[in-house]
Amino acid sequence: QCLIKIRAVPLPPKLAMMLEEQSDLLRAMDRQKGQLTSNTLEEVDKLRKEVTKLLDSEEKLAGTGDKIWSLGPKRCGPNMLINRTGDFVSSEVWPGGLVTRDNSDTRTDMESSLVQGFQLATLAGPLCEEQIMGVAFVVEGWEVKEATAGE
């Protein structure tokens, strides 16, 4: 049984538009993580700095530029999944980040399911299967409770 606390926070409009405009770069970044050219890596680094600056301008999102877990929908959209759990080290959206996994943490096995849920939610949205645009989903807590014999 999992208990996940997620807060939806609007992204600064300029950031949402920038992510939308840079979708080709973000798609390449996702699909070719280890094989990006030096020019593309420079573009990604420039984008990362701009994203971080815009996130820092928003009080509820300040300091989250290096905690972006995923973009969505389709891993290159104008929405963000941000890891602010404090005790779980997640994968990063930006290339080059080394993540040391704690394989004893049961959440490691569930991480892809959480990210996939975010992808589906941003693709279909809450109503009429309309894509969501310009929302940061901040994961503030994630606990796994061991099942007891009665459950």
Side-chain angles (χ1 to χ4, degrees):
Q1 206 177 30
C2 284
L3 176 64
I4 303 171
K5 182 180 177 185
I6 300 176
R7 180 180 312 271
V9 178
L11 287 174
K14 185 177 177 185
L15 177 55
M17 289 304 297
M18 185 174 63
L19 291 172
E20 187 76 15
E21 291 165 2
Q22 296 292 331
S23 63
D24 289 340
L25 176 62
L26 295 168
R27 189 175 295 110
M29 184 181 80
D30 178 61
R31 290 196 169 77
Q32 304 165 357
K33 272 227 167 83
Q35 302 136 10
L36 295 172
T37 65
S38 59
N39 287 346
T40 305
L41 282 171
E42 286 176 22
E43 287 181 53
V44 167
D45 193 49
K46 184 177 164 187
L47 177 63
R48 188 186 78 208
K49 288 175 182 170
E50 188 65 25
V51 166
T52 300
K53 186 174 109 182
L54 289 168
L55 286 171
D56 287 345
S57 72
E58 201 63 36
E59 183 182 340
K60 292 180 180 177
L61 297 171
T64 60
D66 61 343
K67 294 178 169 78
I68 303 169
W69 211 331
S70 185
L71 300 171
K74 300 178 183 173
R75 299 190 179 275
C76 61
N79 302 292
M80 295 181 173
L81 180 65
I82 296 174
N83 178 5
R84 255 205 179 152
T85 59
D87 65 343
F88 179 71
V89 179
S90 63
S91 56
E92 258 186 58
V93 75
W94 306 113
L98 295 174
V99 177
T100 305
R101 297 261 180 215
D102 180 359
N103 290 327
S104 65
D105 191 335
T106 55
R107 297 174 294 182
T108 302
D109 295 333
M110 299 177 200
E111 179 181 11
S112 64
S113 298
L114 180 71
V115 172
Q116 188 60 31
F118 161 75
Q119 293 297 329
L120 291 171
T122 55
L123 180 63
L127 297 170
C128 304
E129 296 193 25
E130 291 288 326
Q131 285 188 13
I132 293 175
M133 181 166 176
V135 180
F137 294 90
V138 182
V139 180
E140 296 178 341
W142 185 9
E143 297 175 36
V144 177
K145 300 185 179 198
E146 298 299 321
T148 59
E151 294 181 317

